[in-house]
Amino acid sequence: MTLKNYHSVYFLGIGGIGMSALARWFNENNYYVAGYDRTSTELTRQLEAENIYIHYQDGVDFIPKKIKEDKEGVLIVYTPAIPKGHLEFNYLKDNGYVLQKRSQVLGMISVGFHTVAVAGTHGKTTTSSMVAHLLKSAGRDITAFLGGIATNYGSNFIANERVTPETVAVVEADEFDRSFLALNPDIAVVTASDADHLDIYGDKSSLETSFKEFIGKIKTNGKLFINEKIAKELTADYKGTVCTYGINRGHFFASNITMKNGFFEFDYSDERHKIERLRLGVPGFHNVENATVAIAIALDLLLSPEEVREGIDSYMGVKRRFEYLLRGRDTVLVDDYAHHPVEIEAFLRSLRALYPERKITAIFQPHLYSRTRDFADGFAESLSLADEVILLDIYPAREEPIEGVTSEIIFKNISVDQKVQCSKGELLDYLKDRELDVVATIGAGDIDQMVLPVRDLLKNRYHV
């Protein structure tokens, strides 16, 4: 199957962060692009401003005429989250269109490039955006498909105007629905393999098996860069080149980590290089690890230490990954996408390291009934690292309710004295009466809709 056979691409779920990056690639490469999504968002409005037609009602009559007229030249890209009863999906399937998952199409695009694929249950978006930025800032030809909006570029798709034999594709390799198995990278990264997506995998062992299969997809003479904490369990049967990274350990490592004015500074070392006092504008010990492997890959792709330093210094992060919305003397607001206990622990420990003497209020929205059920005790334990916890209702995303699964199963085991449950609609009224210092909004659902209202409340109260 080759993309040269198609002139038009129609997306079901075009507003998804991974889907929209693909839509932008096809649009940039002069395909006719259109799509459906359930709701209008800032991202879909941006796509519409880029001359991509989008509609928000599920109905065959809304499918563009160009898509209906010549099905032989049309590729349908769909998200695995599309409901089985979706009218357009079933019409296109029943009428003989070529339907491909997002991951399959990403695999087709990347096959023509030297590909860096970043996988892991945590850290893949930040790490892939770091790799892309280091290469881009050094003037290298890249095409990058990211799972978040890179602040430096205001987009989840980064590309040079020209494609050359030296162009590097940087892709986020998603383990959900085993999507990453559609890729055959030259360089692969595995950042973490904590239990997650148990609605898909059933248990941690099955998830690890899938990561091993992904590692086995690396091209002959390719390289694996893997967090040293998980290298032994995932690479025992892998015969290729394994490069480990970490903090103070691994073939590539960060050391001498300090915090200064809200920034993390560290030294990078490997067998050939030592780059001292790198300043990372995105805080967090986990982000130092992410930066370490991004630097290792950049050096492997022949960037100079000076280019690495300039790239790290200018890297501005990804929207909703340790993103500062306020950084005042009397109040701080940080927003983070963390939606797994391990991610929340890493985020709150880093926030505590930056603000050791200040009160931290964590506002958390659980994501998915199944994830809440599977990790309720872990969520409670990680959230208890804050001084105060405000727990919102579960954001269901693609799931139907599960009997007995509510935020309460997390709430009851949170060990801090100051804790409360409330709905998203009640949040601002509750905050009006609280003494607030360092505030963190956390979660992968629609809590992002509350970030700016919370920011405005804090700005007005503390005159930031």
Side-chain angles (χ1 to χ4, degrees):
M1 182 176 176
T2 173
L3 294 175
K4 293 179 180 179
N5 296 335
Y6 303 101
H7 55 68
S8 302
V9 188
Y10 187 65
F11 287 83
L12 295 174
I14 195 168
I17 195 70
M19 294 279 278
S20 56
L22 286 181
R24 283 173 156 152
W25 184 87
F26 280 107
N27 198 42
E28 289 271 337
N29 284 274
N30 300 314
Y31 290 77
Y32 172 76
V33 179
Y36 156 86
D37 209 279
R38 187 173 53 182
T39 55
S40 174
T41 64
E42 181 180 352
L43 184 49
T44 59
R45 290 188 288 273
Q46 289 173 357
L47 296 177
E48 290 178 288
E50 296 165 20
N51 296 316
I52 295 174
Y53 167 74
I54 302 175
H55 64 274
Y56 302 95
Q57 290 178 267
D58 175 22
V60 173
D61 291 342
F62 295 105
I63 299 174
K65 188 176 179 181
K66 189 175 180 69
I67 300 300
K68 287 183 174 179
E69 284 180 339
D70 179 19
K71 70 180 180 183
E72 299 303 322
V74 175
L75 175 63
I76 308 299
V77 187
Y78 69 98
T79 170
I82 206 81
K84 291 181 180 178
H86 195 271
L87 299 176
E88 293 184 32
F89 176 81
N90 285 299
Y91 167 83
L92 295 164
K93 183 178 66 173
D94 293 343
N95 282 275
Y97 284 81
V98 175
L99 280 78
Q100 296 282 291
K101 292 182 182 179
R102 180 192 67 87
S103 57
Q104 293 170 308
V105 177
L106 183 58
M108 285 188 282
I109 293 172
S110 64
V111 73
F113 298 103
H114 188 86
T115 300
V116 178
V118 182
T121 47
H122 326 297
K124 54 184 173 286
T125 300
T126 299
T127 303
S128 55
S129 70
M130 285 176 169
V131 173
H133 177 67
L134 288 174
L135 295 173
K136 178 79 170 173
S137 66
R140 304 303 172 90
D141 294 329
I142 68 159
T143 295
F145 301 88
L146 307 176
I149 304 299
T151 303
N152 290 82
Y153 308 97
S155 181
N156 53 349
F157 173 66
I158 308 167
N160 295 75
E161 291 184 5
R162 62 196 181 113
V163 175
T164 70
E166 288 74 40
T167 298
V168 175
V170 182
V171 303
E172 184 167 327
D174 192 359
E175 74 279 0
F176 173 72
D177 198 38
R178 298 178 173 84
S179 293
F180 56 2
L181 299 183
L183 300 169
N184 291 99
D186 298 272
I187 292 175
V189 180
V190 180
T191 60
S193 60
D194 296 289
D196 199 5
H197 302 301
L198 299 187
D199 55 325
I200 301 293
Y201 289 102
D203 56 31
K204 187 173 188 286
S205 175
S206 295
L207 175 70
E208 289 179 347
T209 297
S210 197
F211 272 105
K212 291 174 184 176
E213 290 178 30
F214 168 69
I215 290 169
K217 293 277 189 175
I218 299 171
K219 291 177 185 174
T220 304
N221 301 322
K223 291 182 181 179
L224 169 66
F225 292 78
I226 186 167
N227 194 305
E228 57 84 23
K229 289 178 283 193
I230 57 172
K232 186 176 180 180
E233 59 202 60
L234 293 186
T235 63
D237 299 323
Y238 178 60
K239 305 304 181 185
T241 301
V242 177
C243 308
T244 62
Y245 71 93
I247 293 177
N248 296 318
R249 296 171 60 185
H251 298 115
F252 311 88
F253 61 92
S255 61
N256 194 21
I257 300 171
T258 58
M259 282 139 279
K260 189 175 180 181
N261 299 323
F263 294 90
F264 275 54
E265 295 186 357
F266 65 98
D267 297 339
Y268 168 88
S269 302
D270 62 35
E271 289 182 352
R272 297 185 297 124
H273 306 92
K274 182 161 188 181
I275 310 173
E276 297 183 329
R277 306 326 299 148
L278 291 159
R279 192 180 86 144
L280 184 61
V282 183
F285 295 104
H286 55 301
N287 285 324
V288 172
E289 279 194 331
N290 296 335
T292 299
V293 68
I295 292 167
I297 290 169
L299 293 170
D300 188 71
L301 293 174
L302 304 181
L303 266 66
S304 70
E306 292 75 20
E307 289 172 324
V308 164
R309 183 181 296 281
E310 290 173 9
I312 290 294
D313 190 61
S314 62
Y315 175 73
M316 297 168 61
V318 179
K319 292 289 184 184
R320 304 214 63 230
R321 270 69 171 186
F322 218 116
E323 182 183 9
Y324 278 100
L325 279 299
L326 283 177
R327 218 167 181 171
R329 184 184 65 182
D330 298 318
T331 187
V332 173
L333 175 61
V334 185
D335 183 40
D336 199 89
Y337 188 73
H339 54 283
H340 185 282
V342 173
E343 295 170 338
I344 295 170
E345 179 181 356
F347 170 67
L348 289 177
R349 286 195 184 281
S350 296
L351 197 60
R352 178 69 70 196
L354 287 166
Y355 303 103
E357 305 300 328
R358 298 176 68 172
K359 176 187 173 184
I360 295 175
T361 298
I363 305 168
F364 176 58
Q365 182 191 51
H367 182 260
L368 298 177
Y369 293 103
S370 60
R371 186 179 280 126
T372 301
R373 175 198 63 202
D374 295 337
F375 302 111
D377 290 344
F379 281 124
E381 184 177 355
S382 60
L383 289 167
S384 297
L385 294 169
D387 300 296
E388 177 182 26
V389 177
I390 301 169
L391 187 63
L392 305 183
D393 297 330
I394 296 170
Y395 181 77
R398 58 186 180 270
E399 293 186 336
E400 296 298 323
I402 297 174
E403 185 176 352
V405 178
T406 68
S407 291
E408 172 63 27
I409 66 174
I410 296 173
F411 184 79
K412 65 183 181 181
N413 289 322
I414 295 173
S415 61
V416 299
D417 294 330
Q418 296 183 50
K419 62 177 182 176
V420 68
Q421 286 180 272
C422 73
S423 69
K424 195 176 68 171
E426 297 167 334
L427 178 62
L428 292 180
D429 284 338
Y430 177 78
L431 292 177
K432 287 176 184 176
D433 301 322
R434 304 298 299 170
E435 285 298 320
L436 301 168
D437 186 357
V438 177
V439 180
T441 48
I442 308 169
D446 62 358
I447 190 173
D448 62 321
Q449 297 175 8
M450 299 305 301
V451 173
L452 294 184
V454 171
R455 182 199 65 180
D456 293 342
L457 183 152
L458 293 172
K459 284 178 71 174
N460 291 334
R461 181 186 299 180
Y462 295 100
H463 308 291
V464 179

